Amino acid sequence: GGQSSVLAAGELVVHALLVETARDGLVLVDTGMGLEDVRSPVRRLGPGFVALSRPRLREEDTAARQVERLGFKRGDVRHIVVTHLDADHAGGIPDFPDATVHLHRNEHAAATNPRTLNERTRYRKAHLAHGPKWKLHDEGGESWFGLQSLKVIADDVLLVPLHGHTRGHSAVAVRADEPAGPDWLLHCGDGYFFHLEKDDPACCPPILRNFQASIAVDDAMRRANAKRIRELYRQHGRTVRVFSAHCPHEYRALAETA
């Protein structure tokens, strides 16, 4: 769904990715905001979030309605893999109550046992009040293009820890099944916000650059991991299609190839 925002002095999107697997049903990578968020945005998302980001909330843009529009039932989504639990990434979790929700253990701890004002204010308890079926993933996975990876769904979906934006923020790698396309898709969540940052962080609009720094739990770690994303893109950009959660340029480019 779209998100008009003063942060980018223009437009941001909220990019969820739906994956159809052979053995594990549908997998949703991030959820965007949910049906109840559309119906009661201030109560569900918080007045600060709504005032700052001015989200364009439409029921037809929610993951739930888009899954149904594709001819599936919401119950067909058996797994949700979240980059992190900020409202614009996890608000739709209640719309899929039977799905197993995969995330990094540190992110679950940040949302359920916040340690700082940053963590106490950014997570919305209403999104987790129904008691999701959590599957927590720990450090110690295998190397994936030089980055640590944690196997989530068979060999097809991996969590790639890239902390900093939040305590347990991770990218999600999905094996692609396109003969002429990349081998992998990498949903970087909020690892960066603007497409040109993949080449040079100085290309990020100043307002958006300052926002990323101010919202990060650990900005030095965020910047170090953004550098790792740039290195991956430079070395393996043909093999791994790299995109962030909020860049409209990347979203439209992916939509054109779908």
Side-chain angles (χ1 to χ4, degrees):
Q3 182 177 344
S4 175
S5 173
V6 294
L7 300 177
E11 180 189 23
L12 297 178
V13 299
V14 178
H15 192 166
L17 179 65
L18 185 67
V19 182
E20 190 172 9
T21 68
R23 293 177 297 175
D24 294 284
L26 297 181
V27 179
L28 188 58
V29 179
D30 278 356
T31 67
M33 288 164 279
L35 291 168
E36 289 302 316
D37 299 332
V38 173
R39 295 161 186 161
S40 306
V42 174
R43 179 175 61 84
R44 296 280 295 190
L45 301 171
F49 178 90
V50 171
L52 186 63
S53 65
R54 293 182 296 165
R56 186 190 72 192
L57 296 172
R58 303 186 305 184
E59 189 165 311
E60 62 265 32
D61 288 335
T62 62
R65 293 291 181 250
Q66 294 197 54
V67 164
E68 292 167 344
R69 193 162 64 243
L70 289 169
F72 299 105
K73 301 182 183 71
R74 279 191 257 168
D76 294 331
V77 176
R78 291 169 53 189
H79 301 274
I80 295 171
V81 187
V82 286
T83 60
H84 60 302
L85 290 173
D86 279 348
D88 51 336
H89 297 258
I93 289 177
D95 296 334
F96 305 91
D98 296 325
T100 298
V101 182
H102 302 261
L103 74 167
H104 196 283
R105 183 175 295 276
N106 290 357
E107 187 64 13
H108 179 265
T112 58
N113 186 26
R115 294 192 301 219
T116 64
L117 179 61
N118 179 308
E119 292 182 342
R120 286 194 295 273
T121 55
R122 75 190 303 159
Y123 299 114
R124 305 299 298 175
K125 292 181 180 179
H127 292 154
L128 312 179
H130 65 289
K133 299 178 183 176
W134 299 113
K135 174 67 174 176
L136 308 184
H137 297 269
D138 291 298
E139 306 292 339
E142 298 177 358
S143 178
W144 179 84
F145 294 100
L147 298 173
Q148 181 196 7
S149 69
L150 310 173
K151 190 180 296 186
V152 176
I153 311 294
D155 294 318
D156 299 322
V157 182
L158 312 172
L159 270 181
V160 181
L162 293 170
H163 306 333
H165 176 72
T166 64
R167 203 196 306 181
H169 179 278
S170 301
V172 180
V174 176
R175 192 184 299 276
D177 185 18
E178 304 171 23
D183 294 339
W184 291 89
L185 303 176
L186 185 66
H187 189 310
C188 292
D190 289 359
Y192 67 97
F193 274 56
F194 189 65
H195 64 294
L196 295 180
E197 289 182 74
K198 289 185 296 189
D199 292 306
D200 181 358
C203 292
C204 186
I207 293 175
L208 199 52
R209 189 186 320 145
N210 292 338
F211 171 74
Q212 291 188 73
S214 65
I215 198 67
V217 166
D218 186 331
D219 193 51
M221 184 180 293
R222 178 192 68 85
R223 286 185 279 108
N225 280 323
K227 183 179 180 181
R228 292 187 175 95
I229 294 172
R230 290 196 300 276
E231 291 169 349
L232 174 72
Y233 176 67
R234 184 175 63 250
Q235 295 173 16
H236 303 289
R238 290 183 180 274
T239 303
V240 182
R241 183 75 178 263
V242 178
F243 56 94
S244 73
H246 296 306
C247 180
H249 304 279
E250 293 174 335
Y251 178 82
R252 293 188 182 112
L254 282 158
E256 289 171 2
T257 60

